[in-house]
Amino acid sequence: MVKPTAAREPILKVEELETTFFLKSGPFRAVNRVSYSVSKGETLGVVGESGCGKSVTSFSLMRLIEQPGQITHGRVLFQGHDLLKLPEKQVQKVRGGKMAMIFQEPMTALNPVLTVGRQIDEQILRHEAVSPEEARERSIKMLKKVGIPSPEDRYSNYPHQLSGGMRQRAMIAMALSCDPEVLIADEPTTALDVTIQAQILELIQSLQEEKNMAVQFITHDLGVISEISDRVMVMYGGMKCEEATSEALFNSPKHPYTAALIQSRPQLGHREHRLRTIEGSVPAPHELPAGCPFQNRCPRRIALCSKRPPEIEIQPGHRVACFNPL
Amino acid sequence: MEVLLEAKNVKKHFPIRKGLLSRVVANVKAVDDVSLTVHRGETLGLVGESGCGKSTLGRTMIRLYEPTAGEIRFNGRDFTTLKGGELRRARKNIQMIFQDPYASLDPRMTVGQILRQPFEIHGLLGSAAREAKVLDLLKIVGLKPSHVNRYPHEFSGGQRQRISIARAIALEPEMIICDEPVSALDVSIQAQILNLLKDLQDRLKLTYIFVSHDLSVIEHVCDRIAVMYLGKIVEVATREELFKNPKHPYTQALIAAIPRVGEGKRKIKKSLGGEVPSPINPPSGCYFHPRCPHATEKCRTQTPKLEGSLHEVSCWLY
């Protein structure tokens, strides 16, 4: 079912994106000149540990960065426009319309004092010229589509009256209510149990196929990312360190960080007495070294690593930013 | 193998009170008639999804929660009836590590104070010996002597979990209950903590009860595994047996839902529909029957018992 990605037209193109937080301790580049693209019908997985910049990247695309943060460089090309240059009014039209986002914790992303139905209505009314009655009808249809039982009743429920899995479904219904071309899913299953996680992943996949949406799927869970992504991008310390198809990335990682990350995770059926570990911990913002952000923990470090490694294409479609790749 | 801990028909119900007179209107049956044995030196895993009662069972075992009914025997002694000083002395032998090292360490105490506290409570060692012991503990869990005067907020999540572990092993317990000890940590830090727990087990001959929702982690650390659903144990087996030959349809669904790394993109199929029912008003018969693909009339009306010798399962299919 995986179509060759090369033949597809990128719908979202991110070039040299840089987002800086101006902290008291000095400027911190949470996203450091990251470039990638996502095509129609394709899922790009973005994976990394806390603080690697994966969420800030997606918030930057939607122009949802608040003070003291600022997008300091780059372009986000979508439908022929650079989203970073558009006036706020026009960005609002794109956001939640042609480009939608779902979050990890629907309890905080949904408004607790409005019914679920009203929140979906609002989104439809904001983006499309329809009557409130039509919006209501469409909201109920969306709730049904995402597998919420008795959608007419659920329409008038408040978020707290739904279970975690149902809330996530409601948020997906809201995100997809205006037929987005790009869906950004930021850890959408992290707070859910495995069996519910599988239900939500199945739902996202089938809706994606039906609408030929581009999905940018962000998570720290290597298993989930491996199963859902066509291509995977690994981030560390605000930079992209590797990008490849899911199969290539997990079976022959080239960046020492990717390799270490995969090996440090317990895997079913490969039981070893000790897990491989990565020494130390993810550096705090003010501790990030100049050059390759992973150098202080890297077993393959060489003198060159104090400079920023360029991204090289080691095999067609397999890119790595490392001076001494595996 | 020597039995270290034995739970017999343990129940933990939380009453729901309502109205002016706070009458009990219902009970949350968090742990509902569970029997379980833990052998010395092994790691027993408790696995299940949120609300299945795995954490409550762990906490009831050391009487952080008083059991509503049932008996817990530790080292052959009835642990459920102990009181005061006797209970305190017995608890020295069972310690606990919690999921959230941000919540389980007092933010106003230094690491030194945190680690001295177990000795103070039990009146052990003189002050010089306590200081030496604290430094020793820090070394064992991979922290530096210079960390002794720092506060918990100065540490990362992984380091904080190391402090919790140092506190748990301070009194040389026989058993530690680990309640989701790595769930809040990043993958690379998870591996460090799992390795540390394993090293300590070898070195101090510890017995673990390891509570987790993550089957990959459970498979890595546990010798035997008990699967819980809605307050009951539905299956118990050794690790190899459970993963090779899962019997209960719920266990099968849980294992099928684990995402596999490295097999490329695939069409994801849910392994189980529906959601966990409320433990206030659980379904009749087998609690799993509303979601079970094999459910029959018998499953709707009669409750199965956990049966079997080495591989126990509670299901009418067997």
Side-chain angles (χ1 to χ4, degrees), chain B residues 59 96-109 114 152-153 155-157 160-161 163-164 167 179-180 184-185:
Chain B
R59 288 171 187 209
M96 190 141 185
I97 303 167
F98 297 91
Q99 170 174 358
D100 186 354
Y102 294 75
S104 59
L105 299 174
D106 188 329
R108 282 160 301 196
M109 286 167 81
I114 289 170
H153 77 262
F155 295 91
S156 67
R160 261 182 262 209
Q161 205 54 297
I163 300 169
S164 308
R167 179 175 63 182
D179 188 0
E180 304 262 12
L185 307 174

mmCIF file of all heavy atoms in Angstrom, chain B residues 59 96-109 114 152-153 155-157 160-161 163-164 167 179-180 184-185:
data_model
loop_
_atom_site.group_PDB
_atom_site.id
_atom_site.type_symbol
_atom_site.label_atom_id
_atom_site.label_comp_id
_atom_site.label_asym_id
_atom_site.label_seq_id
_atom_site.Cartn_x
_atom_site.Cartn_y
_atom_site.Cartn_z
ATOM 1 N N ARG B 59 -0.133 -1.005 45.568
ATOM 2 C CA ARG B 59 -0.172 -0.216 46.798
ATOM 3 C C ARG B 59 -0.845 -0.957 47.943
ATOM 4 O O ARG B 59 -0.493 -0.770 49.112
ATOM 5 C CB ARG B 59 -0.895 1.101 46.541
ATOM 6 C CG ARG B 59 -0.036 2.010 45.699
ATOM 7 C CD ARG B 59 -0.772 3.227 45.243
ATOM 8 N NE ARG B 59 0.093 3.939 44.305
ATOM 9 C CZ ARG B 59 0.058 5.244 44.114
ATOM 10 N NH1 ARG B 59 -0.814 5.975 44.763
ATOM 11 N NH2 ARG B 59 0.881 5.807 43.271
ATOM 12 N N MET B 96 8.938 1.055 47.892
ATOM 13 C CA MET B 96 8.188 1.370 46.691
ATOM 14 C C MET B 96 8.891 2.458 45.879
ATOM 15 O O MET B 96 9.491 3.374 46.431
ATOM 16 C CB MET B 96 6.798 1.851 47.113
ATOM 17 C CG MET B 96 5.856 1.987 45.974
ATOM 18 S SD MET B 96 4.201 1.441 46.434
ATOM 19 C CE MET B 96 3.429 1.606 44.848
ATOM 20 N N ILE B 97 8.804 2.350 44.558
ATOM 21 C CA ILE B 97 9.270 3.414 43.660
ATOM 22 C C ILE B 97 8.069 3.832 42.824
ATOM 23 O O ILE B 97 7.370 2.980 42.279
ATOM 24 C CB ILE B 97 10.386 2.901 42.712
ATOM 25 C CG1 ILE B 97 11.550 2.326 43.511
ATOM 26 C CG2 ILE B 97 10.869 4.023 41.808
ATOM 27 C CD1 ILE B 97 12.505 1.529 42.642
ATOM 28 N N PHE B 98 7.846 5.130 42.735
ATOM 29 C CA PHE B 98 6.653 5.619 42.047
ATOM 30 C C PHE B 98 6.981 6.107 40.636
ATOM 31 O O PHE B 98 8.132 6.333 40.281
ATOM 32 C CB PHE B 98 6.019 6.749 42.847
ATOM 33 C CG PHE B 98 5.529 6.320 44.199
ATOM 34 C CD1 PHE B 98 6.357 6.406 45.309
ATOM 35 C CD2 PHE B 98 4.260 5.806 44.355
ATOM 36 C CE1 PHE B 98 5.923 5.995 46.560
ATOM 37 C CE2 PHE B 98 3.812 5.399 45.603
ATOM 38 C CZ PHE B 98 4.643 5.494 46.705
ATOM 39 N N GLN B 99 5.901 6.322 39.882
ATOM 40 C CA GLN B 99 6.059 6.745 38.498
ATOM 41 C C GLN B 99 6.677 8.133 38.377
ATOM 42 O O GLN B 99 7.582 8.355 37.593
ATOM 43 C CB GLN B 99 4.686 6.769 37.806
ATOM 44 C CG GLN B 99 4.745 7.429 36.431
ATOM 45 C CD GLN B 99 3.427 7.323 35.691
ATOM 46 O OE1 GLN B 99 2.473 6.735 36.183
ATOM 47 N NE2 GLN B 99 3.376 7.864 34.505
ATOM 48 N N ASP B 100 6.131 9.048 39.163
ATOM 49 C CA ASP B 100 6.478 10.442 38.960
ATOM 50 C C ASP B 100 7.493 10.911 39.986
ATOM 51 O O ASP B 100 7.155 11.231 41.114
ATOM 52 C CB ASP B 100 5.199 11.285 39.082
ATOM 53 C CG ASP B 100 5.473 12.727 38.737
ATOM 54 O OD1 ASP B 100 6.646 13.071 38.517
ATOM 55 O OD2 ASP B 100 4.515 13.511 38.705
ATOM 56 N N PRO B 101 8.782 10.946 39.605
ATOM 57 C CA PRO B 101 9.797 11.337 40.584
ATOM 58 C C PRO B 101 9.714 12.821 40.932
ATOM 59 O O PRO B 101 10.405 13.291 41.809
ATOM 60 C CB PRO B 101 11.108 10.999 39.886
ATOM 61 C CG PRO B 101 10.811 10.999 38.438
ATOM 62 C CD PRO B 101 9.355 10.675 38.281
ATOM 63 N N TYR B 102 8.831 13.568 40.231
ATOM 64 C CA TYR B 102 8.632 14.966 40.585
ATOM 65 C C TYR B 102 7.708 15.058 41.791
ATOM 66 O O TYR B 102 7.824 15.944 42.615
ATOM 67 C CB TYR B 102 8.025 15.738 39.406
ATOM 68 C CG TYR B 102 8.953 15.831 38.241
ATOM 69 C CD1 TYR B 102 9.173 14.735 37.423
ATOM 70 C CD2 TYR B 102 9.645 17.012 37.973
ATOM 71 C CE1 TYR B 102 10.045 14.804 36.358
ATOM 72 C CE2 TYR B 102 10.519 17.090 36.908
ATOM 73 C CZ TYR B 102 10.720 15.983 36.102
ATOM 74 O OH TYR B 102 11.594 16.043 35.060
ATOM 75 N N ALA B 103 6.750 14.120 41.877
ATOM 76 C CA ALA B 103 5.772 14.171 42.951
ATOM 77 C C ALA B 103 6.203 13.365 44.165
ATOM 78 O O ALA B 103 5.746 13.611 45.275
ATOM 79 C CB ALA B 103 4.423 13.658 42.445
ATOM 80 N N SER B 104 7.084 12.374 43.979
ATOM 81 C CA SER B 104 7.371 11.477 45.097
ATOM 82 C C SER B 104 8.583 11.909 45.926
ATOM 83 O O SER B 104 8.940 11.247 46.882
ATOM 84 C CB SER B 104 7.535 10.041 44.603
ATOM 85 O OG SER B 104 8.570 9.959 43.660
ATOM 86 N N LEU B 105 9.220 13.013 45.565
ATOM 87 C CA LEU B 105 10.321 13.528 46.379
ATOM 88 C C LEU B 105 9.909 14.889 46.931
ATOM 89 O O LEU B 105 9.421 15.738 46.193
ATOM 90 C CB LEU B 105 11.596 13.683 45.529
ATOM 91 C CG LEU B 105 12.167 12.414 44.898
ATOM 92 C CD1 LEU B 105 13.322 12.766 43.973
ATOM 93 C CD2 LEU B 105 12.632 11.432 45.959
ATOM 94 N N ASP B 106 10.127 15.094 48.230
ATOM 95 C CA ASP B 106 9.753 16.369 48.851
ATOM 96 C C ASP B 106 10.647 17.486 48.301
ATOM 97 O O ASP B 106 11.869 17.437 48.459
ATOM 98 C CB ASP B 106 9.920 16.246 50.371
ATOM 99 C CG ASP B 106 9.359 17.454 51.109
ATOM 100 O OD1 ASP B 106 9.391 18.570 50.528
ATOM 101 O OD2 ASP B 106 8.900 17.286 52.243
ATOM 102 N N PRO B 107 10.046 18.508 47.656
ATOM 103 C CA PRO B 107 10.867 19.542 47.023
ATOM 104 C C PRO B 107 11.648 20.394 48.019
ATOM 105 O O PRO B 107 12.589 21.082 47.629
ATOM 106 C CB PRO B 107 9.839 20.400 46.276
ATOM 107 C CG PRO B 107 8.546 20.150 46.963
ATOM 108 C CD PRO B 107 8.615 18.737 47.479
ATOM 109 N N ARG B 108 11.261 20.360 49.310
ATOM 110 C CA ARG B 108 11.965 21.202 50.280
ATOM 111 C C ARG B 108 13.065 20.471 51.033
ATOM 112 O O ARG B 108 13.664 20.982 51.954
ATOM 113 C CB ARG B 108 10.965 21.794 51.275
ATOM 114 C CG ARG B 108 10.212 22.965 50.678
ATOM 115 C CD ARG B 108 8.951 23.197 51.439
ATOM 116 N NE ARG B 108 8.125 22.001 51.401
ATOM 117 C CZ ARG B 108 6.843 21.990 51.720
ATOM 118 N NH1 ARG B 108 6.253 23.055 52.122
ATOM 119 N NH2 ARG B 108 6.151 20.863 51.632
ATOM 120 N N MET B 109 13.301 19.211 50.655
ATOM 121 C CA MET B 109 14.365 18.467 51.319
ATOM 122 C C MET B 109 15.525 18.267 50.356
ATOM 123 O O MET B 109 15.317 18.033 49.173
ATOM 124 C CB MET B 109 13.842 17.098 51.767
ATOM 125 C CG MET B 109 12.915 17.188 52.982
ATOM 126 S SD MET B 109 12.045 15.634 53.238
ATOM 127 C CE MET B 109 13.281 14.683 54.085
ATOM 128 N N ILE B 114 16.607 13.514 52.243
ATOM 129 C CA ILE B 114 15.699 12.471 51.740
ATOM 130 C C ILE B 114 16.258 11.086 52.038
ATOM 131 O O ILE B 114 15.539 10.196 52.486
ATOM 132 C CB ILE B 114 15.470 12.648 50.219
ATOM 133 C CG1 ILE B 114 14.617 13.893 49.959
ATOM 134 C CG2 ILE B 114 14.810 11.409 49.610
ATOM 135 C CD1 ILE B 114 14.541 14.296 48.491
ATOM 136 N N PRO B 152 15.671 18.345 44.822
ATOM 137 C CA PRO B 152 15.163 17.560 43.685
ATOM 138 C C PRO B 152 14.998 18.353 42.382
ATOM 139 O O PRO B 152 15.269 17.826 41.309
ATOM 140 C CB PRO B 152 13.804 17.053 44.190
ATOM 141 C CG PRO B 152 13.967 16.959 45.662
ATOM 142 C CD PRO B 152 14.881 18.094 46.041
ATOM 143 N N HIS B 153 14.580 19.631 42.470
ATOM 144 C CA HIS B 153 14.337 20.359 41.222
ATOM 145 C C HIS B 153 15.603 20.600 40.417
ATOM 146 O O HIS B 153 15.554 20.967 39.259
ATOM 147 C CB HIS B 153 13.621 21.686 41.507
ATOM 148 C CG HIS B 153 14.514 22.750 42.056
ATOM 149 N ND1 HIS B 153 14.591 23.025 43.396
ATOM 150 C CD2 HIS B 153 15.387 23.589 41.449
ATOM 151 C CE1 HIS B 153 15.473 23.999 43.589
ATOM 152 N NE2 HIS B 153 15.978 24.353 42.422
ATOM 153 N N PHE B 155 17.574 18.369 39.500
ATOM 154 C CA PHE B 155 17.919 17.151 38.774
ATOM 155 C C PHE B 155 16.971 16.906 37.607
ATOM 156 O O PHE B 155 15.839 17.380 37.611
ATOM 157 C CB PHE B 155 17.857 15.943 39.719
ATOM 158 C CG PHE B 155 18.880 15.978 40.806
ATOM 159 C CD1 PHE B 155 18.598 16.563 42.027
ATOM 160 C CD2 PHE B 155 20.133 15.437 40.593
ATOM 161 C CE1 PHE B 155 19.544 16.609 43.028
ATOM 162 C CE2 PHE B 155 21.088 15.474 41.589
ATOM 163 C CZ PHE B 155 20.799 16.062 42.812
ATOM 164 N N SER B 156 17.456 16.144 36.635
ATOM 165 C CA SER B 156 16.590 15.733 35.527
ATOM 166 C C SER B 156 15.691 14.594 36.003
ATOM 167 O O SER B 156 15.897 14.034 37.079
ATOM 168 C CB SER B 156 17.450 15.254 34.364
ATOM 169 O OG SER B 156 18.114 14.065 34.731
ATOM 170 N N GLY B 157 14.698 14.239 35.187
ATOM 171 C CA GLY B 157 13.765 13.175 35.544
ATOM 172 C C GLY B 157 14.467 11.859 35.856
ATOM 173 O O GLY B 157 14.152 11.182 36.830
ATOM 174 N N ARG B 160 16.292 12.061 39.143
ATOM 175 C CA ARG B 160 15.337 12.032 40.251
ATOM 176 C C ARG B 160 14.874 10.608 40.525
ATOM 177 O O ARG B 160 14.692 10.210 41.664
ATOM 178 C CB ARG B 160 14.116 12.876 39.914
ATOM 179 C CG ARG B 160 14.197 14.221 40.545
ATOM 180 C CD ARG B 160 12.977 14.984 40.225
ATOM 181 N NE ARG B 160 13.295 15.844 39.106
ATOM 182 C CZ ARG B 160 12.707 17.001 38.885
ATOM 183 N NH1 ARG B 160 11.748 17.407 39.671
ATOM 184 N NH2 ARG B 160 13.054 17.742 37.873
ATOM 185 N N GLN B 161 14.678 9.836 39.427
ATOM 186 C CA GLN B 161 14.268 8.459 39.635
ATOM 187 C C GLN B 161 15.395 7.690 40.323
ATOM 188 O O GLN B 161 15.139 6.811 41.130
ATOM 189 C CB GLN B 161 13.847 7.830 38.303
ATOM 190 C CG GLN B 161 12.884 6.672 38.406
ATOM 191 C CD GLN B 161 11.626 6.961 39.202
ATOM 192 O OE1 GLN B 161 11.665 7.250 40.395
ATOM 193 N NE2 GLN B 161 10.483 6.868 38.552
ATOM 194 N N ILE B 163 17.335 8.954 42.593
ATOM 195 C CA ILE B 163 17.211 9.308 44.018
ATOM 196 C C ILE B 163 16.112 8.447 44.662
ATOM 197 O O ILE B 163 16.293 7.901 45.750
ATOM 198 C CB ILE B 163 16.884 10.812 44.195
ATOM 199 C CG1 ILE B 163 17.992 11.666 43.575
ATOM 200 C CG2 ILE B 163 16.714 11.161 45.677
ATOM 201 C CD1 ILE B 163 17.642 13.141 43.451
ATOM 202 N N SER B 164 14.976 8.304 43.973
ATOM 203 C CA SER B 164 13.894 7.468 44.520
ATOM 204 C C SER B 164 14.379 6.041 44.734
ATOM 205 O O SER B 164 14.010 5.388 45.711
ATOM 206 C CB SER B 164 12.709 7.379 43.560
ATOM 207 O OG SER B 164 12.306 8.638 43.168
ATOM 208 N N ARG B 167 16.566 5.819 47.778
ATOM 209 C CA ARG B 167 15.742 5.832 48.991
ATOM 210 C C ARG B 167 15.108 4.453 49.225
ATOM 211 O O ARG B 167 15.036 3.966 50.343
ATOM 212 C CB ARG B 167 14.661 6.896 48.867
ATOM 213 C CG ARG B 167 13.737 6.961 50.059
ATOM 214 C CD ARG B 167 12.771 8.108 49.953
ATOM 215 N NE ARG B 167 11.891 7.954 48.794
ATOM 216 C CZ ARG B 167 10.972 8.844 48.445
ATOM 217 N NH1 ARG B 167 10.828 9.948 49.140
ATOM 218 N NH2 ARG B 167 10.210 8.645 47.398
ATOM 219 N N ASP B 179 6.206 1.041 40.640
ATOM 220 C CA ASP B 179 4.936 1.419 40.013
ATOM 221 C C ASP B 179 5.209 2.334 38.820
ATOM 222 O O ASP B 179 5.441 3.522 38.995
ATOM 223 C CB ASP B 179 4.059 2.114 41.057
ATOM 224 C CG ASP B 179 2.652 2.372 40.538
ATOM 225 O OD1 ASP B 179 2.362 2.015 39.387
ATOM 226 O OD2 ASP B 179 1.842 2.936 41.299
ATOM 227 N N GLU B 180 5.228 1.777 37.622
ATOM 228 C CA GLU B 180 5.509 2.530 36.391
ATOM 229 C C GLU B 180 6.777 3.373 36.530
ATOM 230 O O GLU B 180 6.769 4.574 36.254
ATOM 231 C CB GLU B 180 4.327 3.446 36.033
ATOM 232 C CG GLU B 180 2.992 2.736 35.885
ATOM 233 C CD GLU B 180 2.634 2.424 34.441
ATOM 234 O OE1 GLU B 180 3.502 2.544 33.550
ATOM 235 O OE2 GLU B 180 1.476 2.043 34.203
ATOM 236 N N ALA B 184 7.507 7.898 32.819
ATOM 237 C CA ALA B 184 7.586 9.344 32.604
ATOM 238 C C ALA B 184 8.917 9.745 31.968
ATOM 239 O O ALA B 184 9.187 10.920 31.789
ATOM 240 C CB ALA B 184 7.391 10.071 33.932
ATOM 241 N N LEU B 185 9.759 8.756 31.630
ATOM 242 C CA LEU B 185 11.114 9.085 31.177
ATOM 243 C C LEU B 185 11.285 8.887 29.671
ATOM 244 O O LEU B 185 10.614 8.069 29.061
ATOM 245 C CB LEU B 185 12.128 8.202 31.917
ATOM 246 C CG LEU B 185 12.041 8.212 33.448
ATOM 247 C CD1 LEU B 185 12.997 7.182 34.028
ATOM 248 C CD2 LEU B 185 12.336 9.594 34.004
#
